[in-house]
């Protein structure tokens, strides 16, 4: 091992990246390259990261070799030996060391060795010039025309051209179109999260107009249910919950206003750049509105410990949550990896993390144990009502001082024991018992008159509508705290002082923070950051959001790691399409609804999920989008569909969350079983799932079983599992069984008393389609079997049939 390290220590690189390629031009091989081009960022950099960075990366450079930065990797050392000689694999020591050998110079010295195919890949890369490209995400989006395809008839819009071009390159063909029933169900669930009614399905299926589908999309985008559906995706990203977590898991008062703000923003088709600015700096904009104040609740949605062992560390953990969420959600970057050291993979120095944190250093903590409201609740009461409250406050304040003056006059005449008693919780009782004994009759008469006036003012106050408070940023500092690099991330060990600045990969410029005006209440730092992120010229913001929109339409993003566009993220399958969509999104004002329509009008979106063994043999993961991926409904879609099908869905929008019924057994999982869980009416419990009160320590079982979002951090992609609790909850759970009974009630109320009609209508309500041949007969046979073989009553048999309707794969999976 010592010999190995010694030899690596003398390895040197004779040329830099640019100079090396130019200097070696005279040594170009005379024969043309026959190997396919090797892409550094997709093929080589991941291998170096996995096998080499632990010893030759940002933290450790054994033998003086560093392979994570081009300017270091090509640095010339004293020895004549070189690790990489562009276009000369036979002279490259790196290749010799990673190739199989019998001595102890084999690299890496420990762990998994590179496979022969990987070694060959590095060899080809060196032979082709060892070009060290910048990571794709750190290059500006390139404007380009959609590619030309052989099958022009399939191309309905530019999206199709990008998709088909990749397929044709591999000799593949797209799947046939989806049938009309599958298409309308897909569109309804994607845009509203709810199933279409049988009547809506019939209207669409029978509408032969060429623009029938486009009109359907327009109608769904105009539906208020659109905002409810797409707000949920955003709430997943910003770790929305109504409570703080940790042992007590106390409430976040008025968190629901942020949820409603997001729903309204989607329904109003608010431009994305304004959506960004309101959440990151809504209290610092030129026009501060109730909505922009509510939007800053973004900062208050994370975990908060009301009794931390180390208060300073807890505060920096809050800031880290904000840095992490902001960088991942808006930029697709894991800046948080640089909290304790240089980023292991991406070109993000330790200092960049703290420069980014400095934008938020004017924020106070969510609260303290003794005051959990002052820093996170803002009064947004209307001006007239606020003025009336202010008038009452002034009158009551003046009256209270006058009453206290008379009280003190009497207390001074009391015994020492009673005087001390007046300073305790006994004061009110003392005054009631003895004050009259120590005041003159006229004074007591005045006091009673004041009491009567105070009572009248209190009565008047109670008649007023309550003040309107919002979870938000409040009391942000005008003079932010100084920011220091924290050594190894430890807030008790400060390093160099830093100022707000943007990451080096974006140019590394220091942010220009205007001097706050006299009347300005905050530093304005967060506004500078928000405007930089929201700028259409930002390298990543538009790419990241259009990738998210694509993800929720197709089941996965063009980049399959939507919160990580860095070098350890998954490379885009269609980078040209991603750039085209990002630039198109910017050109059209960053409106979501136009992007939805563009995507959904493409033939790529309207494909069926029909499987092909021949195509799957080439692209088993459907990375090229040769068919539409079947998907399971989300947790909310499952619950909301049950309520929609049985006719009980309460379409009431907005307002405080409701509390579903949860069994005592589930409640036992809390430190104080049932604490903080309210009791809502049956009508409230029939509302859409987005309005459920989200308690971090007590998630609704049905939602939890169907992979509800992790609320502790940004959730970019939900798990999609298949596990026993789902089937058990759907078959045996009290909620689904009760809803099945309501489905029976609906079927009977609609006149489907005869068994064939009962079965046929149930199928139509649940799946949208007409029953298949023999399907009604099978349903009738099941009902009769339940009565005859299992001695159930007719009503019980119908209820069990309704339950089976809600338990078929067809109900929870979307074609």
């Amino acid at each position: 091992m010592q010999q190995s390290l010694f030899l690596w220590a003398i390895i040197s690189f004779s040329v830099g990246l640019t100079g090396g390629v130019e200097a070696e031009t005279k040594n170009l091989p005379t024969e043309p390259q026959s190997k396919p081009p090797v892409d550094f960022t997709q093929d080589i950099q991941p291998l170096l990261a996995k096998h080499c960075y632990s010893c030759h990366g940002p933290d450790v450079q054994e033998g003086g070799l560093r392979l994570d930065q081009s300017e270091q990797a090509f640095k010339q050392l004293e020895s004549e030996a070189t690790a990489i000689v562009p276009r000369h694999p036979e002279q490259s020591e790196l290749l010799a060391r990673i190739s199989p050998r019998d001595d102890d110079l084999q690299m890496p010295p420990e762990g998994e060795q590179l496979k022969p195919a990987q070694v060959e890949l590095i060899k080809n890369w060196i032979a082709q010039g060892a070009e060290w490209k910048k990571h794709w995400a750190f290059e500006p989006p390139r404007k380009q025309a959609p590619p030309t395809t052989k099958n022009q008839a399939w191309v309905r819009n530019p999206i199709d051209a990008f998709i088909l071009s990749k397929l044709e390159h591999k000799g593949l063909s797209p799947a046939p179109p989806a049938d009309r029933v599958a298409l309308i169900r897909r569109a309804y669930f994607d845009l509203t999260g709810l199933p279409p009614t049988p009547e809506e399905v019939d209207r669409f299926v029978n509408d032969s107009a060429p623009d029938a589908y486009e009109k359907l999309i327009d109608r769904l985008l105009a539906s208020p249910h659109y905002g409810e559906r797409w707000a949920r995706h955003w709430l997943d990203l910003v770790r929305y919950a109504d409570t703080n977590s940790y042992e007590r898991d106390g409430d976040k008062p008025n968190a629901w206003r942020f949820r409603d703000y997001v729903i309204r923003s989607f329904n109003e088709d608010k431009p994305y750049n304004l959506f960004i600015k309101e959440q990151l700096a809504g209290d610092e904009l030129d026009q501060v509105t109730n909505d922009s104040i509510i939007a800053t609740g973004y900062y208050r949605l994370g975990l908060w410990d009301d009794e931390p062992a180390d208060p300073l560390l807890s505060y920096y953990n809050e800031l880290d949550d904000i840095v992490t969420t902001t960088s991942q959600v808006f930029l697709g970057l894991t800046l948080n990896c640089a909290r304790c050291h240089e980023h292991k993979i991406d070109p993000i120095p330790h200092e960049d993390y703290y420069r980014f944190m400095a934008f938020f250093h004017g924020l106070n903590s969510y609260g303290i144990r003794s005051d959990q409201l002052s820093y996170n609740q803002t009064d947004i009461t209307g001006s007239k009502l606020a003025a009336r409250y202010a008038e009452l406050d002034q009158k009551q304040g003046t009256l209270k001082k006058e009453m206290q003056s008379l009280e003190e006059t009497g207390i001074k005449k009391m015994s020492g024991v009673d005087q001390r008693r007046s300073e305790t919780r006994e004061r009110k009782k003392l005054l009631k018992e003895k004050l009259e004994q120590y005041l003159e009759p006229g004074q007591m008469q005045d006091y009673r008159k004041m009491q009567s006036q105070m009572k009248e003012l209190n009565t008047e106050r109670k008649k007023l509508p309550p003040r309107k408070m919002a979870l938000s940023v409040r009391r942000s500092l005008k003079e932010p705290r100084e920011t220091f690099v924290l050594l190894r991330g430890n807030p008790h060990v400060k390093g160099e002082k830093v100022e707000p600045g943007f990451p080096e990969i974006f140019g590394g410029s220091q942010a220009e923070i205007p001097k706050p005006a006299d009347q300005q209440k905050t530093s304005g730092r967060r506004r500078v950051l928000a405007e930089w992120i929201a700028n259409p010229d930002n390298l990543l913001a538009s790419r990241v959001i259009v990738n998210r929109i694509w993800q929720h339409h197709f089941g996965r993003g063009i980049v399959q790691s939507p919160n990580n566009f860095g070098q350890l993220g998954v490379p885009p399958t269609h980078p040209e399409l991603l750039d085209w969509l990002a630039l198109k999104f910017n050109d059209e004002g960053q409106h979501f609804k136009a992007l939805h329509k563009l995507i959904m009008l493409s033939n790529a979106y309207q494909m069926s999920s029909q499987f092909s063994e021949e195509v799957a043999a080439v692209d088993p993961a459907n990375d090229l989008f040769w068919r539409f991926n079947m998907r399971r409904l989300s947790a909310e879609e499952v619950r909301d569909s049950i309520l929609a099908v049985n006719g009980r869905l309460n379409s009431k929008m907005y307002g405080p969350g409701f509390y579903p019924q949860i069994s005592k057994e589930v409640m036992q999982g809390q430190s104080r079983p049932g604490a903080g869980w309210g009791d809502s009416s049956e009508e409230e419990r029939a509302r859409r799932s987005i309005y459920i009160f989200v308690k971090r320590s007590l998630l609704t079982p049905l939602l939890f079983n169907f992979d509800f979002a992790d609320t502790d951090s940004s959730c970019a992609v939900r798990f999609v599992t298949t596990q026993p609790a789902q089937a058990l909850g759907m078959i045996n759970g009290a909620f689904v069984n009760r809803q099945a009974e309501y489905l029976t009630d609906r079927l009977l109320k609609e006149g489907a008393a005869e068994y064939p009609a009962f079965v046929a209508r149930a199928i139509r309500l649940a799946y949208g389609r007409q029953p298949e041949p023999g399907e009604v007969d099978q349903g009738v046979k099941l009902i009769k079997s339940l009565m005859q073989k299992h001695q159930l009553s007719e009503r019980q048999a119908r209820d069990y049939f309704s339950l089976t309707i809600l338990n078929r794969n067809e109900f929870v999976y979307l074609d």
Side-chain angles (χ1 to χ4, degrees):
M1 184 64 187
Q2 290 179 345
Q3 182 185 13
S4 171
L5 293 177
F6 173 76
L7 288 176
W8 270 107
I10 64 172
I11 292 175
S12 64
F13 294 87
S14 57
V15 289
L17 175 59
T18 305
V21 173
E22 293 176 351
E24 294 292 336
T25 303
K26 61 183 179 181
N27 294 323
L28 288 176
T30 56
E31 296 183 6
Q33 294 290 322
S34 59
K35 303 286 186 181
V38 181
D39 186 277
F40 173 76
T41 57
Q42 293 194 34
D43 301 322
I44 303 303
Q45 195 275 340
L47 293 179
L48 298 179
K50 181 177 180 180
H51 297 279
C52 306
Y53 283 7
S54 59
C55 297
H56 307 287
D59 288 343
V60 181
Q61 296 91 42
E62 291 188 9
L65 176 64
R66 182 168 183 173
L67 290 172
D68 66 307
Q69 295 179 357
S70 60
E71 63 272 18
Q72 296 295 324
F74 286 90
K75 184 179 179 181
Q76 185 175 8
L77 300 178
E78 294 179 0
S79 172
E80 294 182 0
T82 54
I84 302 173
V85 181
R87 302 193 183 279
H88 290 282
E90 75 283 355
Q91 298 177 22
S92 300
E93 185 68 16
L94 172 64
L95 191 63
R97 291 302 190 88
I98 63 175
S99 299
R101 53 196 299 163
D102 296 330
D103 54 30
D104 61 356
L105 301 182
Q106 171 78 45
M107 289 292 166
E110 299 175 354
E112 181 184 358
Q113 303 296 315
L114 278 79
K115 297 178 175 62
Q118 295 171 327
V119 174
E120 184 69 16
L121 200 63
I122 292 176
K123 179 181 177 181
N124 293 337
W125 171 66
I126 295 174
Q128 292 171 13
E131 184 180 4
W132 196 296
K133 285 185 179 179
K134 200 173 184 180
H135 185 60
W136 68 268
F138 308 145
E139 295 280 4
R142 292 183 297 170
K143 198 164 189 175
Q144 53 199 304
T148 303
T149 60
K150 297 175 185 176
N151 182 7
Q152 281 295 311
W154 194 80
V155 176
R156 182 171 296 188
N157 69 26
I159 290 174
D160 295 330
F162 286 105
I163 297 296
L164 186 58
S165 175
K166 289 268 188 179
L167 290 173
E168 289 182 342
H169 181 70
K170 292 286 188 179
L172 307 178
S173 297
D179 65 60
R180 301 280 278 186
V181 174
L183 188 58
I184 187 175
R185 283 175 60 80
R186 183 183 301 171
Y188 260 80
F189 276 109
D190 274 8
L191 290 183
T192 70
L194 294 170
T197 66
E199 294 72 28
E200 289 165 334
V201 173
D202 289 343
R203 268 198 306 272
F204 177 66
V205 169
N206 297 322
D207 189 346
S208 59
D211 63 344
Y213 177 59
E214 183 176 358
K215 288 189 296 186
L216 171 68
I217 294 174
D218 289 337
R219 183 162 54 84
L220 294 177
L221 288 171
S223 167
H225 294 312
Y226 160 75
E228 293 173 322
R229 167 65 173 157
W230 282 82
R232 185 62 257 178
H233 297 317
W234 190 258
L235 297 179
D236 283 5
L237 290 171
V238 297
R239 76 270 190 247
Y240 176 85
D242 293 286
T243 60
N244 291 315
S245 191
Y246 293 95
E247 183 181 358
R248 272 177 284 272
D249 198 18
D251 289 0
K252 290 182 181 293
N254 301 301
W256 57 270
R257 293 196 192 279
F258 180 87
R259 175 247 291 151
D260 289 356
Y261 155 80
V262 177
I263 295 173
R264 287 195 306 272
S265 295
F266 275 100
N267 277 335
E268 294 166 4
D269 203 16
K270 183 174 291 182
Y272 182 56
N273 49 13
L274 177 58
F275 192 53
I276 293 172
K277 292 176 188 177
E278 286 180 339
Q279 290 175 82
L280 296 182
D283 58 327
E284 296 185 335
L285 301 179
D286 291 336
Q287 297 295 325
V288 176
T289 65
N290 280 0
D291 258 10
S292 70
I293 291 294
I294 293 168
T296 64
Y298 161 81
Y299 290 109
R300 302 310 191 188
L301 297 175
L303 310 185
W304 177 66
D305 187 354
D306 63 4
E307 197 172 23
D310 184 336
L312 185 62
L313 177 61
S314 179
Y315 172 65
Y316 274 93
N317 285 343
E318 284 185 67
L319 289 178
D320 178 69
D321 172 64
I322 292 170
V323 170
T324 300
T325 306
T326 303
S327 62
Q328 290 184 8
V329 169
F330 297 104
L331 298 173
L333 290 177
T334 54
L335 283 182
N336 51 298
C337 294
R339 179 182 183 180
C340 303
H341 46 63
E342 304 281 271
H343 197 291
K344 293 287 188 182
I345 305 299
D346 293 328
I348 300 173
H350 191 32
E351 293 78 5
D352 270 8
Y353 172 89
Y354 291 97
R355 281 193 283 266
F356 200 79
M357 176 186 282
F359 287 108
F360 308 112
H361 227 157
L363 295 172
N364 291 303
S365 174
Y366 173 91
I368 55 176
R369 182 74 185 280
S370 59
D371 182 1
Q372 299 186 20
L373 298 176
S374 294
Y375 297 112
N376 62 59
Q377 296 292 312
T378 303
D379 190 337
I380 55 172
T381 307
S383 56
K384 289 184 179 179
L385 182 59
R388 184 62 186 135
Y389 267 111
E391 181 184 356
L392 289 174
D393 289 342
Q394 188 272 327
K395 288 181 178 180
Q396 287 181 305
T398 300
L399 193 59
K400 187 175 182 180
K401 286 181 181 179
E402 292 174 355
M403 291 176 68
Q404 287 177 338
S405 177
L406 281 175
E407 290 168 359
E408 290 302 318
T409 298
I411 289 171
K412 288 177 181 177
K413 299 176 183 178
M414 296 181 186
S415 67
V417 173
D418 283 339
Q419 288 182 18
R420 287 190 292 274
R421 188 182 170 198
S422 73
E423 298 172 356
T424 69
R425 295 178 181 177
E426 294 284 313
R427 180 185 178 95
K428 189 173 181 180
K429 185 178 180 181
L430 171 70
L431 294 174
K432 187 176 181 180
E433 293 174 352
K434 296 186 177 182
L435 183 61
E436 187 174 6
Q437 302 173 26
Y438 295 95
L439 290 181
E440 300 294 331
Q443 291 176 318
M444 195 63 202
Q445 185 177 0
D446 289 341
Y447 186 76
R448 288 207 170 100
K449 185 178 180 181
M450 291 178 192
Q451 283 181 315
S452 178
Q453 290 174 339
M454 183 66 78
K455 187 175 181 180
E456 290 175 3
L457 290 173
N458 283 331
T459 300
E460 195 172 344
R461 178 182 287 273
K462 289 178 181 179
K463 292 179 181 178
L464 294 176
R467 289 181 184 271
K468 190 176 178 181
M469 307 298 289
L471 182 75
S472 55
V473 166
R474 187 176 173 217
R475 298 185 179 179
S476 180
L477 302 179
K478 188 171 183 176
E479 293 291 334
R481 302 169 185 82
E482 293 182 322
T483 305
F484 299 88
V485 173
L486 303 181
L487 305 184
R488 303 301 298 175
N490 187 341
H492 299 285
V493 185
K494 294 180 179 179
E496 178 185 356
K497 181 181 175 182
V498 296
E499 298 296 332
F502 309 121
E504 280 186 8
I505 55 175
F506 294 91
S509 60
Q510 184 168 308
E512 295 183 9
I513 313 291
K515 185 178 179 181
D518 291 341
Q519 71 275 13
Q520 190 172 318
K521 296 181 179 180
T522 67
S523 69
R525 285 185 178 186
R526 287 178 286 112
R527 179 175 179 176
V528 172
L529 175 65
E531 290 179 340
W532 174 76
I533 292 176
N535 192 312
D537 292 334
N538 188 292
L539 293 178
L540 287 176
S542 295
R543 278 174 170 157
V544 168
I545 191 60
V546 299
N547 185 66
R548 297 192 194 282
I549 301 296
W550 183 277
Q551 168 195 341
H552 293 302
H553 279 303
F554 285 90
R556 69 157 181 83
I558 296 171
V559 176
Q560 295 184 48
S561 52
N563 268 15
N564 186 359
F565 275 42
Q567 295 186 90
L568 276 190
V570 181
T573 54
H574 297 71
E576 298 85 5
L577 173 58
L578 182 64
D579 282 359
W580 186 87
L581 287 170
L583 294 172
K584 178 81 170 174
F585 182 65
N586 287 342
D587 291 343
E588 297 191 352
Q590 297 196 343
H591 290 284
F592 290 130
K593 291 188 178 183
L595 182 58
H596 289 305
K597 188 170 180 179
L598 176 68
I599 290 173
M600 295 178 71
L601 286 177
S602 70
N603 270 327
Y605 178 83
Q606 296 177 56
M607 282 190 290
S608 71
S609 60
Q610 183 174 310
F611 186 77
S612 167
E613 290 188 5
E614 293 79 9
V615 182
V618 178
D619 182 22
N622 194 25
D623 287 337
L624 300 178
F625 298 105
W626 55 269
R627 69 181 182 121
F628 201 86
N629 283 328
M630 180 181 289
R631 74 170 176 90
R632 198 204 68 204
L633 300 182
S634 68
E636 294 90 337
E637 287 173 306
V638 172
R639 180 183 175 277
D640 294 351
S641 294
I642 292 172
L643 293 168
V645 165
N646 69 19
R648 293 194 64 251
L649 183 65
N650 178 356
S651 59
K652 174 185 171 184
M653 296 181 68
Y654 307 128
F658 69 90
Y659 300 88
Q661 201 162 18
I662 293 180
S663 69
K664 292 181 179 179
E665 291 80 4
V666 174
M667 293 283 193
Q668 293 302 314
Q670 294 185 281
S671 59
R672 291 184 297 156
W677 196 253
D679 185 20
S680 299
S681 67
E682 282 300 309
E683 184 181 9
E684 281 289 301
R685 287 173 178 161
R687 295 179 69 193
R688 291 199 67 174
S689 301
I690 193 169
Y691 300 111
I692 288 177
F693 186 88
V694 181
K695 189 172 183 65
R696 283 187 157 106
S697 63
L698 191 64
L699 295 179
T700 304
L702 181 66
L703 301 189
F704 178 79
N705 291 341
F706 279 95
D707 309 308
F708 185 73
D710 175 15
T711 59
D712 288 354
S713 58
S714 177
C715 179
V717 181
R718 292 192 185 185
F719 291 112
V720 180
T721 64
T722 302
Q723 39 95 2
Q726 294 167 356
L728 291 171
M730 291 291 287
I731 295 173
N732 298 325
F735 172 78
V736 181
N737 273 267
R738 185 69 182 113
Q739 301 310 312
E741 293 170 4
Y742 286 129
L743 175 56
T744 300
D745 290 340
R746 176 180 183 177
L747 294 169
L748 294 175
K749 185 177 180 181
E750 292 182 356
E754 298 296 326
Y755 295 152
F758 184 89
V759 172
R761 183 61 176 166
I763 290 170
R764 291 237 54 202
L765 285 171
Y767 316 133
R769 60 173 174 81
Q770 294 288 349
E772 296 176 357
E775 193 173 11
V776 171
D777 292 339
Q778 290 175 348
V780 172
K781 184 178 179 180
L782 173 60
I783 293 174
K784 291 181 177 179
S785 173
L786 289 170
M787 290 189 292
Q788 296 166 7
K789 186 176 179 180
H790 299 281
Q791 289 79 50
L792 298 183
S793 69
E794 182 185 31
R795 176 59 198 235
Q796 287 176 316
R798 290 181 187 269
D799 289 342
Y800 273 116
F801 175 79
S802 296
L803 185 63
T804 65
I805 284 290
L806 301 179
N807 271 273
R808 290 191 193 179
N809 278 348
E810 189 175 359
F811 187 76
V812 296
Y813 281 88
L814 190 64
D815 196 344

